[in-house]
């Protein structure tokens, strides 16, 4: 290719459909328990199996949770919860239709604010509605197919962004999802578990030449079950579509699946014609009235939302915006931070520790902060010991790792590992041996090369396996240097 | 005492309660009658003799222990085969559900059982309750006890014929566009479609959910009222059921109809209604006036759109309700198709009859994008207008009186090739389903040896007044005492 051609810049447009399973005790239209996993087809009844003659009865709590989410997303609330049938044939859909909401979603016209690196942005939300989840189709090794209906009828909330899309980059797509998940978990409507599929996101993506008014053909991506996958998937798809257009090819309207291992999207299904769903009002359910008093009482019960918490954390604890973002990623993080900071009285150290050591260990263990055995009380206890120099920062890391692993109190762990060595005689002997072993470094230090001090302290810490009191070691070293107290 | 199969439901209940006869004797007498006449009538798809006798014994045992026994103790009844009965095949008159045994009881099935009634069998019907003659059953037609060459009406033809032929004392049917009242008229019995929401639909295999309603069929108004009392009321399993003022049978048989204001809508007595039917209805109105009611002709201008409206709304809902028969979880799974789509297609092709397929096609079309506004949405609006017309009429009148069917029973096969003529059989009954109001059919005359039915419609949830008018008429006339040939 001749290098004289200038590359056409392309602009991305990203819309997002998010499905969140709601945290209700029972399913949407029957009394079966709403839970994850379990032996196939052990949580179903005539209603969620769609047996002839069965009828749905709407779960009022599910409606309430959707109102809750819609309020948190700044939506207008419909005066009724009306249901419609979405008709299509699929083996995981027992009735041959899904009970959903078509022309009157519970929430509409909302938004949420994101702050990716490129700058703050408001993403408008077109609708928040309630529907029922489908069963799960499985392909057996025998070549046969089987369906597990445990998930059939689980209440599912769908959140759709407005068109034209407000997002154009993978960063924004991820920021949107991070914020949405923070809000949904904070208000207790969803557990936000992307790996388990209780929070599922399907971005739709198109690109168009910069300056062009017409939107390009869009594709939908499925199988994105982590924030990382969302970021990579969107980025890959934007690049793939741009490359197609640059070559003069066209983008086909299709559904693509994210392949994590190969790091690319692969074709799942071509959408030649729009599926005909033949929506009509569900005659088996009378519309539920949502009166102002109900909405007001739900609004009053909303906890502090992540955006508000973020601002408050910055003001109240002097945190940076980035720190506050991280500490408000879920309600559990905020609660953990505030409890620990309150107990130990050191917000800065608490924030640092949570964003560093705690985040690292959670990541490595692949668990959520809710499952962490070392609670905020443990962290506060640890930080208090560091503050009062009972243990060194280095020793604290070891103690914290042990506490994270076992859930044992840091004080007890530290006691067992032995307190810091502050005794001048004991440390003096170590000093002697290190100076003897490093005569050149010692001479340089004595000659005024201050940088060598860190090295010497490090050597002493190594010999004492981190138990030496660093402050004491410093003092003793300076005492021995020429011009010292001795 | 008369032969047990000639007794009313009320009389049997009283005799069992007093110990004059045992529930087992009652059940056995009716089972014998079934054996005798079923070869000619074919009203029942299943006879549950063993279960019935065991249940009758349980009633007798409870009585001899001195336990409280229910208001329908020992009463032999049949359920239309679209009503789910736990462990007893429920086919809906369709091949696609051949042999399907529901794992649960419909609310009405549970309620009549609790009331002490003894179910003798499941009654034949048009496939998924779609039809007016019971000829659309995959298991063959039911014959009219008054003339075996004639249809019993439909879709609850089996429920009507079984009662008329005295195989059972009462039965339950379902009515979407006249499916209780029209066969009741054609078989010379009483059939009530209650107000939409009065009786739970849980366990009623859906045809058109916004129109379907279960109701009683019996040989007297009081018997029908006793059945309604047992099955009606709010059901937490059906969100469309209503917590209305309770209904009691005694309220129907007490009091008179002096001062009752009767409206006679002229749209129901025009072209297409046979002369003898018109004459019988006019005579009935006179009889009611002789008892102190007043009558006046009136007009319900929008009811002429009922048929067109019905044939949009009902097939639309049916096309969705019947989507679950895909061969995956229950019912017929036909071989031959490949993949899920192929299996579904083959199973539905083999499992559904012609009328059902036609209605699914019509309904699918009516709901399609681009046609929804022109058909379904418009039909809903017309339905609202029809309802308002009735509301206005009920400001002036307490009940409306019309024929139930424009003709008496027609011959088997006579209208099979003329779908429009068949659908006109429901023209008098459809409006009550559109408006959701109660309607009862009672015998009011004979034409060429076949019964004529009188329809009385009332205000929503005013089954009491509706049935009281029917009861007064019945007490003053002899039509309900006539018995068809097959009984001799
Ligand atoms: Zn269930």
């Amino acid at each position: 290719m001749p290098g004289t051609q200038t590359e056409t810049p392309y602009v991305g447009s990203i819309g997002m459909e998010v499905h969140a399973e709601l945290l209700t005790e029972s399913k949407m239209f029957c009394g079966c328990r709403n839970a994850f996993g379990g032996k196939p087809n052990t949580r179903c009844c005539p209603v969620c199996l769609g047996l002839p003659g069965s009828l749905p009865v709407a779960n009022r709590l599910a409606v309430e949770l959707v109102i809750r989410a819609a309020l948190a997303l700044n939506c207008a609330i419909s005066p009724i919860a009306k249901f419609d049938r979405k008709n299509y044939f699929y083996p995981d859909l027992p009735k041959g239709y899904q009970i959903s909401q078509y022309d009157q979603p519970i929430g509409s016209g909302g938004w949420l604010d994101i702050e990716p690196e490129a700058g703050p942005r408001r993403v408008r939300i077109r609708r928040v509605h309630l529907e029922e989840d489908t069963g799960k189709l499985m392909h057996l090794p025998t070549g046969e197919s089987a369906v597990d209906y445990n998930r059939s009828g689980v209440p599912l909330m769908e959140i759709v962004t407005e068109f034209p899309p407000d997002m154009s980059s993978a960063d924004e797509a991820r920021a949107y999802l991070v914020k949405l998940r923070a809000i949904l978990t904070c208000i207790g409507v969803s557990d936000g578990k992307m790996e388990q599929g209780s929070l599922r996101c399907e971005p739709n993506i198109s690109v168009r030449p910069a300056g062009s008014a017409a939107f390009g053909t869009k594709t939908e991506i499925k199988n994105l079950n982590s924030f990382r996958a969302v970021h990579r998937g969107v980025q890959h798809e934007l690049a793939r579509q741009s490359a197609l257009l640059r070559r003069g090819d066209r983008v086909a309207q299709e559904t693509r699946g994210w392949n994590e291992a190969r790091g690319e999207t692969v074709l799942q299904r071509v959408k030649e014609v729009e599926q005909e769903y033949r929506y009509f009002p569900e005659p088996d359910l009378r519309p539920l009235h949502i009166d102002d008093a109900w909405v007001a009482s739900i609004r009053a019960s909303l906890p502090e939302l992540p955006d508000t918490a973020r601002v408050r954390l910055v003001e109240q604890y002097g945190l940076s915006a980035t720190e506050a973002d991280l500490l408000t990623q879920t309600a559990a993080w905020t609660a953990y931070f505030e409890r620990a900071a309150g107990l130990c009285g050191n917000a800065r150290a608490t924030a640092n520790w949570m964003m560093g050591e705690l985040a690292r260990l959670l990541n490595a263990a692949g668990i959520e902060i809710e499952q962490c055995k070392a609670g905020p009380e443990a962290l506060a206890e640890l930080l208090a010991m560091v503050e009062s120099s009972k243990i060194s920062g280095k020793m604290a890391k070891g103690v914290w790792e042990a506490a994270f692993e076992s859930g044992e109190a840091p004080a007890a762990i530290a006691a067992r590992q032995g307190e810091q060595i502050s005794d001048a005689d004991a440390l003096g002997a170590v000093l002697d041996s290190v100076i003897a072993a490093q005569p050149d470094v010692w001479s340089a230090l004595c000659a005024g090369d201050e940088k060598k001090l860190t090295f010497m302290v490090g050597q002493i810490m190594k010999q004492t396996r981190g138990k030496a009191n660093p402050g004491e070691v410093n003092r003793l070293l300076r005492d021995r240097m020429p011009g010292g107290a001795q | 005492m008369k032969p047990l199969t000639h007794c009313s439901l009320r009389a049997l209940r009283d005799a069992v309660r007093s110990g004059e006869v045992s529930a087992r004797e009652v059940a056995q007498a009716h089972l014998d009658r079934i054996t005798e006449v079923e070869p000619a009538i074919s009203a029942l798809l299943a006879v549950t003799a063993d279960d019935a006798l065991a249940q009758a014994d349980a009633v007798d045992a409870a009585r001899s222990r001195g336990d409280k026994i229910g208001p329908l103790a020992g009463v032999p009844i049949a359920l239309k085969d679209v009503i789910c009965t736990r462990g007893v095949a429920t086919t809906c008159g369709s091949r696609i559900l051949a042999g399907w045994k529901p794992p649960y009881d419909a609310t009405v099935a549970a309620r009549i059982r609790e009331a002490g009634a003894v179910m003798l069998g499941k009654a034949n019907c048009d496939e998924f309750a779609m039809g007016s003659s019971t000829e659309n059953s995959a298991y063959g037609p039911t014959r009219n006890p008054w003339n075996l060459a004639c249809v019993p009406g439909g879709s609850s033809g089996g429920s009507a014929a079984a009662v008329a032929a005295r195989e059972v004392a009462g039965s339950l049917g379902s009515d979407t566009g006249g499916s209780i009242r029209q066969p009741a008229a054609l078989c010379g019995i009483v059939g009530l479609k209650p107000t939409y929401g009065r009786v739970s639909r849980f366990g009623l295999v859906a045809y058109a959910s916004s129109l379907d309603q279960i109701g009683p069929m019996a040989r007297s108004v009081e018997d029908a009222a006793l059945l309604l009392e047992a099955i009606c009321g709010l059901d937490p399993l059906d969100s469309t059921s209503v917590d209305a003022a309770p209904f009691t049978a005694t309220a129907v048989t007490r009091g008179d109809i002096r001062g009752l204001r009767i409206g006679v809508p002229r749209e129901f007595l025009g072209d297409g209604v046979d002369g003898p039917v018109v004459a019988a209805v006019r005579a009935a109105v006179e009889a009611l006036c002789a008892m102190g009611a007043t009558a006046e002709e009136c007009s319900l201008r929008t009811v002429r759109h009922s048929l067109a409206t019905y044939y949009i709304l009902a097939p639309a809902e049916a096309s969705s309700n019947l989507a679950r028969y895909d061969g995956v979880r229950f019912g017929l799974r036909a071989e031959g198709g490949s993949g899920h789509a192929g299996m579904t297609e083959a199973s539905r092709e083999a499992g559904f009859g012609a009328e059902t397929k036609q209605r699914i096609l019509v309904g699918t079309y009516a709901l399609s994008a681009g046609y929804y506004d022109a058909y379904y949405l418009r039909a809903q609006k017309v339905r609202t207008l029809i309802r308002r017309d009735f509301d206005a009429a009920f400001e002036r009148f307490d009940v409306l009186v019309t024929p139930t069917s424009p003709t008496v029973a027609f011959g088997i096969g006579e209208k099979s090739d003329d779908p429009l003529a068949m659908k006109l059989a429901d023209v008098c009954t459809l409006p009550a389903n559109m408006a959701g109001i109660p309607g009862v059919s009672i015998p009011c005359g004979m034409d060429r040896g076949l019964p004529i039915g009188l329809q009385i419609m009332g205000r929503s949830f005013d089954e009491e007044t509706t049935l009281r008018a029917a009861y007064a008429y019945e007490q003053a006339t002899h039509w309900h005492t006539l018995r068809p040939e097959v009984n001799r």
Side-chain angles (χ1 to χ4, degrees):
Chain A
M1 286 285 282
T4 51
Q5 241 176 316
T6 51
E7 289 218 324
T8 324
Y10 288 97
V11 183
S13 295
I14 303 160
M16 194 86 87
E17 240 175 58
V18 171
H19 286 95
E21 286 179 353
L22 298 175
L23 289 173
T24 53
E25 285 292 316
S26 56
K27 290 187 181 181
M28 184 62 226
F29 297 114
C30 62
C32 294
R33 206 162 61 79
N34 172 13
F36 176 75
K39 201 166 165 276
N41 297 313
T42 50
R43 289 192 307 274
C44 20
C45 70
V47 176
C48 54
L49 286 174
L51 294 192
S54 64
L55 292 173
V57 176
N59 182 336
R60 209 178 148 83
L61 179 63
V63 175
E64 178 152 337
L65 292 183
V66 173
I67 297 173
R68 204 170 161 78
L71 287 173
L73 295 170
N74 308 295
C75 288
I77 306 297
S78 161
I80 57 163
K82 173 207 159 215
F83 295 95
D84 301 279
R85 290 189 186 176
K86 179 180 180 177
N87 295 282
Y88 64 96
F89 286 101
Y90 206 67
D92 66 8
L93 188 68
K95 297 187 293 297
Y97 58 84
Q98 180 190 30
I99 304 179
S100 180
Q101 296 190 288
Y102 180 53
D103 55 350
Q104 281 179 276
I106 290 176
S108 58
W111 78 86
L112 70 74
D113 290 329
I114 55 172
E115 280 186 44
E117 274 174 33
R121 191 167 259 287
R122 173 158 291 184
V123 181
R124 291 165 306 146
I125 289 164
R126 176 162 36 172
R127 54 186 291 149
V128 178
H129 80 241
L130 180 54
E131 58 189 30
E132 56 178 339
D133 211 341
T134 61
K136 236 176 182 165
L137 186 61
M138 296 175 295
H139 299 288
L140 305 178
T142 55
E144 294 170 304
S145 297
V147 194
D148 174 10
Y149 292 101
N150 280 351
R151 205 182 66 179
S152 170
V154 162
L156 197 61
M157 175 171 60
E158 182 176 313
I159 300 163
V160 186
T161 55
E162 188 56 274
F163 186 88
D166 295 319
M167 293 179 284
S168 56
S169 71
D171 275 359
E172 287 173 349
R174 181 177 53 192
Y176 171 78
L177 207 62
V178 167
K179 176 58 77 66
L180 183 60
R181 180 173 178 269
I183 293 172
L184 298 183
T185 54
C186 164
I187 62 177
V189 307
S190 161
D191 64 15
K193 289 180 182 161
M194 295 179 73
E195 338 73 62
Q196 287 187 2
S198 61
L199 188 74
R200 313 196 272 271
C201 95
E202 283 156 29
N204 56 74
I205 296 166
S206 69
V207 299
R208 64 183 198 278
S212 156
F215 287 94
T217 307
K218 64 183 180 188
T219 59
E220 232 175 71
I221 319 183
K222 290 183 190 274
N223 299 346
L224 297 169
N225 47 24
S226 69
F227 291 138
R228 194 175 116 89
V230 171
H231 192 263
R232 290 177 72 203
V234 171
Q235 201 156 41
H236 173 272
E237 187 57 19
L238 287 171
R240 190 189 69 87
Q241 290 188 14
S242 302
L244 278 176
L245 296 185
R246 206 164 279 137
R247 280 208 305 269
D249 286 345
R250 50 181 280 276
V251 174
Q253 187 169 348
E254 57 197 22
T255 303
R256 303 183 64 87
W258 172 246
N259 186 316
E260 182 74 36
R262 283 160 58 183
E264 59 183 32
T265 64
V266 288
L267 176 65
Q268 278 190 337
R269 191 159 52 92
V270 180
K271 284 186 164 179
E272 275 160 354
V273 282
E274 277 297 309
Q275 175 104 33
E276 165 79 86
Y277 289 123
R278 306 191 313 278
Y279 281 101
F280 74 103
E282 166 57 281
D284 287 331
L285 293 165
R286 290 182 193 272
L288 233 75
H289 289 273
I290 304 175
D291 57 31
D292 294 346
W294 194 15
V295 175
S297 78
I298 296 169
R299 197 190 292 277
S301 74
L302 281 177
E304 180 183 48
L305 295 176
D307 274 345
T308 322
R310 204 169 131 265
V311 171
R312 187 174 57 77
L313 257 52
V314 169
E315 283 173 4
Q316 190 174 335
Y317 299 100
L319 302 180
S320 73
T322 320
E323 289 169 333
D325 262 348
L326 210 115
L327 293 173
T328 53
Q329 59 179 304
T330 67
W333 275 81
T334 313
Y336 193 107
F337 167 76
E338 298 214 78
R339 174 97 178 123
L343 286 171
C344 75
N346 188 340
R348 162 104 344 259
T350 307
N352 286 344
W353 204 270
M354 283 179 71
M355 292 168 58
E357 286 308 294
L358 178 59
R360 185 176 66 80
L361 293 176
L362 288 173
N363 239 334
I367 59 170
E368 301 291 332
I369 197 165
E370 291 93 327
Q371 292 142 332
C372 177
K373 286 185 192 156
E377 296 79 9
L379 179 58
E381 187 177 299
L382 181 87
L383 294 177
M385 287 194 292
V386 175
E387 179 108 357
S388 63
S389 297
K390 281 205 181 121
I391 54 174
S392 68
K394 176 157 187 193
M395 190 179 171
K397 276 193 187 182
V399 171
W400 181 241
E401 273 170 25
F404 185 90
E405 203 59 43
S406 66
E408 202 184 344
I413 296 167
R416 203 174 49 246
Q417 289 187 355
E419 295 280 345
Q420 261 184 348
I421 307 170
S422 306
D423 178 62
D425 291 343
L427 287 179
V430 182
L431 242 67
D432 290 343
S433 72
V434 170
I435 290 168
Q438 308 281 351
D440 296 347
V441 181
W442 177 244
S443 311
L445 180 60
C446 293
D449 185 355
E450 277 289 318
K451 276 184 272 177
K452 295 288 188 284
L453 183 64
T454 318
F455 177 80
M456 290 301 283
V457 174
Q459 289 299 305
I460 292 157
M461 294 308 282
K462 199 170 166 187
Q463 280 225 354
T464 58
R465 273 174 284 150
K467 289 180 191 169
N469 180 334
E472 198 61 19
V473 171
N474 245 299
R475 194 179 62 77
L476 287 173
L477 278 170
R478 289 198 183 281
D479 282 355
R480 293 220 185 168
M481 275 152 65
Q486 210 162 36
Chain B
M1 200 172 174
K2 289 190 284 191
L4 291 175
T5 52
H6 286 203
C7 292
S8 70
L9 181 154
R10 158 84 195 266
L12 290 173
R13 189 269 316 259
D14 290 348
V16 169
R17 273 189 167 176
S18 69
E20 196 182 334
V21 289
S22 67
R24 176 174 262 268
E25 285 172 284
V26 173
Q28 192 58 60
H30 285 85
L31 288 169
D32 292 347
R33 174 72 179 164
I34 287 171
T35 308
E36 181 193 346
V37 301
E38 257 308 281
I41 307 287
S42 303
L44 302 175
L45 293 175
V47 178
T48 49
D50 293 347
D51 286 355
L53 291 173
Q55 216 182 319
D57 287 345
V59 170
D60 290 332
R63 205 198 84 85
S64 61
R65 279 197 308 269
D67 292 353
K68 193 172 179 291
I69 56 173
L72 297 178
V75 167
I77 55 119
L79 300 190
K80 185 178 182 180
D81 210 28
V82 290
I83 297 171
C84 286
T85 41
R86 184 182 186 144
V88 176
T90 300
T91 69
C92 301
S94 179
R95 261 190 306 277
I96 211 159
L97 278 179
W100 180 63
K101 291 180 176 168
Y104 70 102
D105 261 335
T107 297
V108 292
R111 284 186 178 173
I112 56 152
R113 191 191 306 271
E114 277 159 33
V118 173
M119 185 181 83
L120 301 191
K122 301 295 291 284
N124 196 15
C125 56
D126 287 300
E127 183 174 22
F128 288 105
M130 298 178 184
S132 311
S133 67
T134 315
E135 291 167 293
N136 295 334
S137 168
Y139 305 99
T142 293
R143 289 164 189 280
N144 192 314
W146 292 88
N147 181 340
L148 298 179
C150 288
V151 303
S155 64
S156 310
S159 299
V163 171
R166 286 159 167 76
E167 297 174 53
V168 287
S171 64
L172 296 184
S174 71
D175 191 316
T176 308
S179 282
I180 289 174
R181 291 159 290 159
Q182 186 256 14
L186 270 47
C187 289
I189 62 164
V190 177
L192 169 73
K193 181 200 91 73
T195 311
Y196 185 80
R198 175 66 96 171
V199 178
S200 168
R201 291 186 297 116
F202 186 80
L204 168 66
V205 178
Y207 160 24
S209 316
S210 73
L211 302 162
D212 295 342
Q213 188 65 191
I214 295 172
M217 305 175 85
R219 291 189 297 268
S220 76
V221 172
E222 184 182 22
D223 287 358
L226 283 167
L227 282 171
L228 178 63
E229 185 179 326
I231 60 172
C232 72
L234 183 72
D235 179 7
L237 298 176
D238 175 5
S239 346
T240 63
S241 72
V242 173
D243 191 12
F247 170 86
T248 61
T250 48
V252 168
T253 51
R254 267 202 310 258
D256 55 43
I257 59 163
R258 267 174 294 182
L260 185 82
R261 297 168 301 167
I262 298 170
V264 184
R266 60 179 71 93
E267 286 81 3
F268 292 78
L269 292 165
D271 289 347
V273 183
D274 281 358
V277 173
V278 174
V281 170
R282 293 210 185 277
V285 171
E286 275 171 36
L288 287 163
C289 290
M291 287 179 274
T294 59
E296 197 184 313
E297 264 207 14
C298 66
S299 176
L300 290 162
R301 263 171 298 167
T302 55
V303 296
R304 66 195 162 94
H305 300 302
S306 294
L307 193 70
T309 309
Y310 176 84
Y311 278 103
I312 297 292
L313 296 180
E317 293 181 15
S319 71
S320 175
N321 283 332
L322 270 58
R324 70 191 64 197
Y325 306 100
D326 57 3
V328 173
R329 296 163 311 282
F330 48 78
L332 181 82
R333 178 184 293 181
E335 299 299 328
S338 96
H340 173 253
M343 177 178 84
T344 300
E345 231 174 274
S347 301
R348 291 166 73 81
E349 170 60 32
F352 288 139
E355 181 70 24
T356 303
K357 283 176 186 161
Q358 192 202 67
R359 293 195 197 193
I360 290 172
L361 283 173
V362 168
T364 302
Y365 183 83
L367 289 176
S368 295
Y371 300 105
Y372 181 85
D373 289 0
Y375 293 111
Y376 190 84
L377 196 64
R378 175 163 304 183
Q380 285 289 22
K381 287 176 181 165
V382 175
R383 185 178 182 181
T384 305
L385 295 179
I386 295 171
R387 193 175 292 150
R388 282 193 201 141
D389 244 8
F390 274 101
D391 286 348
F394 284 121
E395 280 173 17
R396 295 167 56 204
F397 305 110
D398 300 309
V399 293
L400 299 172
V401 171
T402 73
T404 306
S405 164
T407 67
V408 293
F410 45 90
I412 289 175
E414 192 182 317
K415 292 188 181 178
S416 303
D417 299 328
D418 189 351
L420 187 62
M422 181 75 88
K423 290 176 168 73
L424 283 171
D426 295 330
V427 74
C428 298
T429 47
L430 289 170
N433 299 83
M434 290 293 127
I437 57 174
V440 62
S441 179
I442 50 170
C444 74
M446 296 294 284
D447 177 22
R448 290 162 285 160
L450 290 164
I452 299 172
L454 179 76
Q455 177 175 233
I456 303 176
M457 294 178 276
R459 294 185 188 92
S460 276
F461 297 102
D462 193 6
E463 282 83 357
E464 190 180 309
T465 306
T466 313
L467 289 177
R468 188 182 294 129
Y471 181 75
Y473 175 79
E474 180 188 82
Q475 296 308 300
T477 57
H478 72 291
W479 304 114
H480 68 288
T481 63
L482 301 179
R483 283 201 289 271
E485 272 310 294
V486 71
N487 291 294
R488 301 246 174 94

